[in-house]
Amino acid sequence: MISLALRMCTAVAVLLLAAACQPKDLVHIPPAGQPLLVYGGPIVTMATTPIEAMLIEDGTIRALGSVDELLALAPAATQLNLAGRTAMPGFIDSHVHVRELGMDAIKADLVGTTTVDEMVERLRIKFPAPVPGVWLLGQGWDEGAFASRGYPDRAALDVAFPDNPVLLESLHGFAGFANGRALQAAAIDSSTPDPEVGQILRRQDGSASGVLLTLAQALVTRQVPPADEAQIEQAIIAGLRTMARAGVTSVHEAGMESRDVTAFMRLAERGALPIRVFGMLNGNDQQLMQHWFERGPLMRADGMLAVAAIKVFYDGSLGSRTAMLRAPYSDHPELANPTERISPVAVRALADQAAAKGFQMAVHAIGDEGNDRTLGIYEAALAPYPGKDHRWRIEHAQVVLPDYFTRVAELGVISSMQSSHAMGDSAWAENRLGSERIHYAYAWQRVLASGGRLIINSDLPGEPWTPAETLYFAVNRQKLDGTPAQGWYRDQALSVPQALHAMTLGGAYAAFQEGLTGSLVVGKAADFIVVEQNPMTMATSDLAALQVLDTYVAGSKVAGN
Ligand SMILES: [Zn+2]
């Protein structure tokens, strides 16, 4: 461990182990301020027996101990009295799509509007001085509520925004509402036929009213230009802030496009990232990969941004029957085995380069065949580097062959799994897989039992994603409504400490940051949250309601009161 620490200190300068590095040189330092003394409630460190108080200085945990001991060290420290609430490490969500989560931030929020005038009002607030020609987007009008009293007409939108195309998505995604300029951009007029699936609603005179049902929306949405640089930055910040409020202090962004990488790097440079980001590059973009293989992994010295992994999709999903299974789908045995979404040769080439250049591989594999082949590629690419601290991972590892567990343990591959997916898929997964293979699906305890490394994350947006919900699913193997009562294949559920480990220290390790984050120990960054209840002792059936009050990154409050 020490030699590893030394190597990392000299090589990448961001990872620190107290014994080997000087933490203050490496950790993100918030504006120089007072030491902070945290006390007055349980402090879950994930590392030692409970301690009474924690002293933070320059963004780093300086000391743990009794209140008296720590006050002697820093008599003038600002005091944060937990008043019975709990402090614990911030959650690390090790598989997210935070830019997607934040994309709604560039749209006007229309939730709760009941008239077109109200929509116009919201649009005017969001876009006070729109540049002519720029698309104005909104989201959240309730198509169900409007349908019962009559769909809206675009007349008021046309009057308010004659020079800008406007497209307003509905709350549930089944309808879009466009103004005249947007319809014009999509070349929709009274002679345009309805698409095969979907409908262009019409006025009396046959002209389009602006409402587009189901797939008719695509006629307009495909005209919307991709987000510009400023919008991407705005979305990233909004997404990260949303996550910070939920108690997340680090995320792993699972697949950055070229424009995302640029945005994340610019934000990090400006000190604008509220929480830490570990980035996986989109391995399908050859130009992007060529650049990064020449450059090598990025690990910022302040620990706020790393770009050090490569993400590709080996197969599809179980729900859509595009995951690669060795034997046919149980509910559709006539289906041919789906093919790879990327050629194995291409994955092997990426893996060879990654091994040589020090990048982490993070391949999406869902089916047992997809996982088997991915693992085979990892084994072959890593064979020339015995003992290498590669920390390669498989994203999802949803259905695997029985030998998966010993192979990943031997090779040191991290299984990156989603507790929400298990619950979301539980309704039909056994239909797809049958009663035998289901025992090797979402099999978290099998990973741990064989000595494998497990991280649990959300893969947001999609399923319920807050850390509280992720934790609840992991521990209970139940949906939010408490069903099924006995838990779904509960033998694979995690204990609270196991789940918390997979959502804190596990994620830190997967980002090569276990010297910086994941637990509250002396020398690490003060990334912690204050929660209303203690997750270690509260009723497990209530975990989804764990309430996050404040979130601190490197000793600075980034969300909360
Ligand atoms: Zn994902």
Side-chain angles (χ1 to χ4, degrees), residues 185-201:
I188 294 175
D189 59 27
S190 44
S191 66
T192 308
D194 286 343
E196 214 164 291
V197 180
Q199 197 184 352
I200 301 165
L201 295 192

Side-chain angles (χ1 to χ4, degrees), residues 281-289 310-313 341-342 346 350:
L281 298 158
N282 172 10
N284 289 323
D285 184 334
Q286 288 180 4
Q287 219 180 341
L288 181 71
M289 288 320 307
I310 300 163
K311 166 93 189 294
V312 285
F313 289 82
R341 286 179 56 175
I342 181 170
L350 284 171

Side-chain angles (χ1 to χ4, degrees), residues 95 97 254 311 396 459:
H95 183 133
H97 302 273
K311 166 93 189 294
H396 310 302
D459 196 12

Side-chain angles (χ1 to χ4, degrees), residues 184-251:
Q184 210 179 356
I188 294 175
D189 59 27
S190 44
S191 66
T192 308
D194 286 343
E196 214 164 291
V197 180
Q199 197 184 352
I200 301 165
L201 295 192
R202 324 260 173 184
R203 295 164 163 166
Q204 295 268 313
D205 63 4
S207 61
S209 73
V211 172
L212 308 158
L213 298 183
T214 67
L215 298 193
Q217 293 176 79
L219 298 172
V220 176
T221 51
R222 69 168 73 112
Q223 301 302 323
V224 180
D228 64 25
E229 284 174 19
Q231 288 174 319
I232 290 173
E233 287 188 15
Q234 207 185 335
I236 288 169
I237 292 295
L240 292 175
R241 288 214 180 111
T242 301
M243 299 213 64
R245 283 194 293 276
V248 178
T249 51
S250 298
V251 296

Side-chain angles (χ1 to χ4, degrees), residues 268-287:
E269 203 53 46
R270 293 209 302 269
L273 293 175
I275 64 176
R276 301 177 198 276
V277 177
F278 176 82
M280 308 177 201
L281 298 158
N282 172 10
N284 289 323
D285 184 334
Q286 288 180 4
Q287 219 180 341

Side-chain angles (χ1 to χ4, degrees), residues 293 296-297 299 308-309 352-360 388 390 392 512:
F293 282 139
M299 298 224 179
D352 285 342
Q353 290 254 52
K357 304 285 168 58
F359 283 90
Q360 176 188 64
K388 184 181 175 66
H390 55 80
W392 287 9
F512 297 87

Side-chain angles (χ1 to χ4, degrees), residues 370-391:
N371 274 283
D372 183 67
R373 293 189 194 181
T374 298
L375 208 42
I377 290 171
Y378 282 9
E379 285 162 344
L382 289 169
Y385 307 91
K388 184 181 175 66
D389 186 22
H390 55 80
R391 308 193 190 188

